[in-house]
Every structure is written in structure tokens, then in C-alpha cells.
Amino acid sequence: MGGKPCKPIISYEAAEEALCKDSWSKGQVSKQDLRKLFENASKLEASCVSSAPSDVQKLSKAAFKEKFQFAGPFFDLGDKVVERLFKVLGADDAEGTLDYESFVCSVYMFTKSTELEKQRLIFNMFDFNGSGFIKKKEFRDMTIAIIRGDNTPPEFELEFKTLSKLMTDSAMALYDTNRDGKLSFEEW
């Protein structure tokens, strides 16, 4: 489910500036604070960390999923969704890891991004081939991955396919205003 990488939503420099300029909680976030957060996340466990030299740390999908399970215990952010999210956030193709700059952009996207930037992130999650459009199959595949997660019993497979078809057909009927069989970001 990796798909093609997308054009970055925000540059590293702009994300770092936005994160360090504004305050979180009671204090300012420094560049050193961001570096420590990245280093702590990338050191989760030896099996999660890339085999890169120690001066070039990278964050693996496993460490990301373990450390940043935002939705809590009742929602399983499945491996397929994490894989696609990593691709959209700028993961290294060869290793499937996030470097420090991509990590800073990720922190920005999850904490400080505008509504429009969040919409672009989600749109890019669904646009597997990077065409700038979401085709019906792409919408259905991502919907199934989001609903299913990794811990769904096989006996629910038919229900998930039925639900995802209903959601896909409804979304296309509502939002594909020019009826070309795909959704542009403007229609999204």
C-alpha cells in the first residue's frame, strides 16, 4: 500500500520555524527539544531503528506506531495505513524510515498544521499513484485499510468490503461533482 511519495505539504524549514516560534503548553519548543524528541522516538528498541550510522538516526514505522499511537487503545492504526502515512510524510524509499527533517514536518502536521494542510495530508493518503486525483479503487483500498486495521478477525471481511463499497459509492456520488470518476483536491 506504499504508493508513490507526494510533494511535501510543508518544508522542513517552515515546519521547524512554526514549531519553535509558537509555544506548546507553558514553554517554548527549541530545536534541541525537537532533536531530543526524535532521538527518543528513534531509540525505542534496537529492532525498530534503522541500521544507519549513529550520527544519521532514522525513525522506523514500528517505532512510530509504538510511540505515536494517537487514537488510543480502541483504534488500531494498521500497518498498511502507517506505511502509506510514512510515504506521504517523506519516508526514505529504500528503508521506509523517516529522517530528522521528515520527522519535524510530521510533528508539525500533527500539532500545528492548518485545516487546509490537514486536508492535503489526508487527500495524499488516498492518492496512491500521486496523480493529484483519487480514483474509486484508491478510495476503497484506503477505506478498507483504515476500517480494518491489523487485528480484525477474518470472519468480518465481507462486512468490511460491503461497508467500504457503500462509503466509496456514497463519497463518489456526493463529491465527484464533474462526474469524471475521480476526486480532485478541490472536490475533496
Side-chain angles (χ1 to χ4, degrees):
M1 179 168 276
K4 290 187 177 181
C6 303
K7 180 182 170 193
I9 295 168
I10 187 169
S11 71
Y12 158 71
E13 293 81 8
E16 183 180 60
E17 180 181 332
L19 289 168
C20 293
K21 180 178 82 172
D22 294 333
S23 64
W24 281 351
S25 211
K26 296 179 182 177
Q28 291 290 100
V29 175
S30 69
K31 291 180 182 181
Q32 291 79 19
D33 294 332
L34 287 172
R35 176 59 70 179
K36 285 179 188 173
L37 178 63
F38 175 73
E39 288 171 358
N40 287 336
S42 64
K43 290 178 183 174
L44 180 63
E45 59 184 71
S47 65
C48 295
V49 179
S50 151
S51 60
S54 60
D55 61 330
V56 185
Q57 291 178 317
K58 294 187 177 191
L59 181 64
S60 72
K61 291 176 218 167
F64 179 87
K65 190 174 175 183
E66 178 75 23
K67 281 282 203 183
F68 301 101
Q69 189 65 276
F70 302 107
F74 301 107
F75 183 77
D76 175 25
L77 191 60
D79 289 338
K80 289 181 179 181
V81 176
V82 171
E83 181 181 331
R84 181 63 189 150
L85 180 61
F86 254 54
K87 192 63 89 170
V88 169
L89 292 173
D92 177 294
D93 278 339
E95 296 181 38
T97 56
L98 289 180
D99 63 14
Y100 176 69
E101 290 183 3
S102 296
F103 176 77
V104 169
C105 292
S106 302
V107 171
Y108 169 83
M109 287 305 300
F110 291 117
T111 60
K112 300 282 186 179
S113 61
T114 66
E115 193 66 32
L116 187 61
E117 289 168 329
K118 288 176 184 142
Q119 289 172 7
R120 176 56 75 179
L121 175 73
I122 294 168
F123 181 87
N124 290 348
M125 290 279 298
F126 282 77
D127 181 17
F128 288 104
N129 65 5
S131 67
F133 296 96
I134 300 171
K135 296 184 176 103
K136 195 172 186 174
K137 181 178 181 346
E138 292 173 317
F139 192 95
R140 186 176 49 250
D141 289 349
M142 181 53 77
T143 303
I144 288 171
I146 291 169
I147 294 171
R148 183 184 298 149
D150 288 334
N151 298 316
T152 302
E155 59 266 18
F156 292 115
E157 191 66 27
L158 180 60
E159 286 83 356
F160 285 122
K161 285 184 178 180
T162 303
L163 180 59
S164 69
K165 181 178 179 351
L166 177 64
M167 291 173 71
T168 301
D169 291 346
S170 298
M172 296 305 274
L174 286 170
Y175 301 113
D176 183 14
T177 55
N178 63 4
R179 304 292 180 236
D180 63 354
K182 56 190 176 185
L183 299 176
S184 66
F185 183 69
E186 292 72 29
E187 290 172 314
W188 178 258

